[in-house]
Amino acid sequence: MPSRLGVAQGDLVLEVGYDDECDDELRASIKAITGTEFLGSDNHEVVDAVILWWRDGDGDLVDELVDALTYLSEAGPIWVLTPKLGRPYHVEPSEIQDAAPTAGLSQTSTIPISKDWTATRLVARKAGKR
């Protein structure tokens, strides 16, 4: 399913929020597609996509999204990966829907990405649109 994230060979991907409960198989699949290692929060390069692992209790989602935008190319997506309904630390979809516009982002889709995780695609709003 990582192909549904739209990453391609050579893409640079910033990963934020990784912890032990994250899906290592999904991570390995993404790296296999891009052929690159994930960049960490100490990165200072422009990236093609951001993978943000987000769980209930992780803090302020708006702040994390704004920070992620700092490194993101103009057309790149931020994928917010959250535990599915019924899993520990599940995040209500409304939390993402509320945070995205405040951070200057639009939500485009939500897909099941692995057994335990859902991925929500956010993109920067185009200048001039409201």
Side-chain angles (χ1 to χ4, degrees), residues 1 4 84 110-114 117-119:
M1 289 267 227
R4 294 179 69 188
K84 287 184 176 177
T110 299
I111 58 173
I113 197 67
S114 72
W117 294 84
T118 297

Side-chain angles (χ1 to χ4, degrees), residues 76-89:
I78 296 175
W79 285 97
V80 181
L81 277 58
T82 57
K84 287 184 176 177
L85 181 64
R87 306 303 197 278
Y89 306 107

Side-chain angles (χ1 to χ4, degrees), residues 3 9 37 42 45 53 56 66 73 122:
S3 60
Q9 178 69 35
E37 290 295 319
D42 58 345
E45 294 185 57
W53 299 94
D56 185 46
V66 169
S73 69
L122 304 176

